[in-house]
Amino acid sequence: MTILRVTNLVKRFGGLVCVDGIDLSFPEGKISAVIGPNGAGKTTFFNLITGIYSPDEGRIELDGKSILNLKPHQITERGIARTFQNIRLFGSMTVLENVMVGLHIHLKAGLFGTLLRLPSNRAEENRSQEEAYRLLEYVGLESLLNEQANSLPYGAQRRLEIARALATKPKVLLLDEPAAGMNPRETVELIGLIKRIRQELGITIILIEHDMRLVMELSDHILVLDYGTKIAEGVPEEIRSNPRVIEAYLGKSAAQ
């Protein structure tokens, strides 16, 4: 079953076409990778799905319903969460507080209840803290819950960003270069965490990644972009030997 579908997606910046008529379908409960050389349009594609950019043409559907023209927080509420290529945490807030920010969209208490510290609001805040702690346990950061986010090692910051995304209770989790800057040990731990999220939580995962070892080990389904167009799609074995993919990464002579 397809959970996320884009049809004839186009995005232009001035005279530059960054995403050019892409048709992509992502199967529910699977790990899909979107790969391609630098400048292929991968992050632009993520920005279109999450409402940071509006497409010039095309459709984006989650569970068969359009999410076009929705604001980023509305798309998050409907079930799409993401991490970023450049980590975006609230550096002066604690690890626990960062995850609680992700839980905010599911809290019922409004500003009035928060200011008056109503009993119902206090109870909800306590439940929120408990859920945030559970998510920190899940990603292995519970011992650091009171540390400032900007004091964490790089790999831990990546896991914290994933925990915050999980706090929004997503159906689809977009990971933009999650292994960037990680050492080999951190990368192995990340692979294990992503597998657990798919297997235990049933979340559909779509990742952008340049680490081809990670892509081939994790992915059920791979889509390849080049100059804003889809040039290949398939399982890892098909993509690894595809001449157009080899050409896009290594040059035409390498594909011959």
Side-chain angles (χ1 to χ4, degrees):
M1 178 178 174
T2 295
I3 189 168
L4 180 67
R5 185 191 306 275
V6 303
T7 307
N8 191 35
L9 201 63
V10 176
K11 182 61 183 177
R12 306 180 187 92
F13 293 99
L16 179 64
V17 181
C18 291
V19 173
D20 189 5
I22 290 178
D23 294 313
L24 296 176
S25 297
F26 295 93
E28 184 176 14
K30 302 294 185 181
I31 299 176
S32 298
V34 180
I35 67 171
N38 289 330
K42 303 182 298 296
T43 295
T44 300
F45 173 65
F46 268 21
N47 287 340
L48 289 167
I49 291 175
T50 54
I52 294 175
Y53 298 152
S54 296
D56 295 303
E57 299 175 31
R59 289 182 59 81
I60 307 172
E61 297 174 332
L62 177 67
D63 279 337
K65 298 179 181 179
S66 175
I67 57 172
L68 283 180
N69 302 318
L70 296 181
K71 295 179 180 179
H73 75 273
Q74 294 173 316
I75 292 173
T76 301
E77 289 170 355
R78 280 159 176 75
I80 297 179
R82 75 172 293 180
T83 65
F84 291 85
Q85 181 177 349
N86 298 312
I87 296 173
R88 299 187 186 182
L89 296 171
F90 298 101
S92 61
M93 294 171 64
T94 68
V95 168
L96 184 70
E97 289 168 341
N98 266 271
V99 180
M100 291 181 67
V101 168
L103 291 164
H104 175 74
I105 65 169
H106 299 293
L107 300 183
K108 297 178 181 178
L111 179 61
F112 182 76
T114 301
L115 293 176
L116 293 184
R117 300 288 293 166
L118 298 175
S120 60
N121 183 47
R122 290 198 296 271
E124 188 175 50
E125 184 176 346
N126 289 337
R127 290 194 298 271
S128 177
Q129 289 180 342
E130 291 171 1
E131 175 66 8
Y133 183 80
R134 187 190 68 79
L135 287 168
L136 289 175
E137 281 188 313
Y138 195 81
V139 301
L141 296 178
E142 70 277 11
S143 64
L144 302 173
L145 80 164
N146 291 318
E147 299 293 326
Q148 280 195 336
N150 59 10
S151 72
L152 298 183
Y154 190 84
Q157 289 189 27
R158 286 283 183 192
R159 282 185 281 148
L160 176 56
E161 197 175 30
I162 290 173
R164 187 178 62 187
L166 292 175
T168 68
K169 304 185 184 338
K171 301 175 184 177
V172 178
L173 176 61
L174 310 181
L175 304 175
D176 193 347
E177 296 196 31
M182 286 190 172
N183 61 42
R185 179 185 59 80
E186 290 170 334
T187 300
V188 169
E189 292 173 351
L190 175 69
I191 290 172
L193 176 59
I194 293 174
K195 286 181 177 179
R196 287 177 57 218
I197 291 170
R198 191 273 299 272
Q199 293 168 357
E200 298 174 0
L201 304 181
I203 295 172
T204 301
I205 297 171
I206 306 171
L207 60 92
I208 293 171
E209 186 53 65
H210 287 289
D211 185 335
M212 286 299 103
R213 183 181 68 85
L214 182 149
V215 167
M216 294 300 171
E217 180 171 347
L218 276 178
S219 304
D220 303 299
H221 176 234
I222 300 175
L223 302 130
V224 188
L225 303 183
D226 192 25
Y227 294 107
T229 64
K230 181 176 72 174
I231 64 170
E233 179 176 2
V235 299
E237 292 75 16
E238 294 171 327
I239 297 303
R240 187 182 287 114
S241 59
N242 187 297
R244 291 195 67 189
V245 177
I246 296 170
E247 179 182 338
Y249 273 99
L250 301 177
K252 190 171 183 179
S253 60
Q256 295 175 340

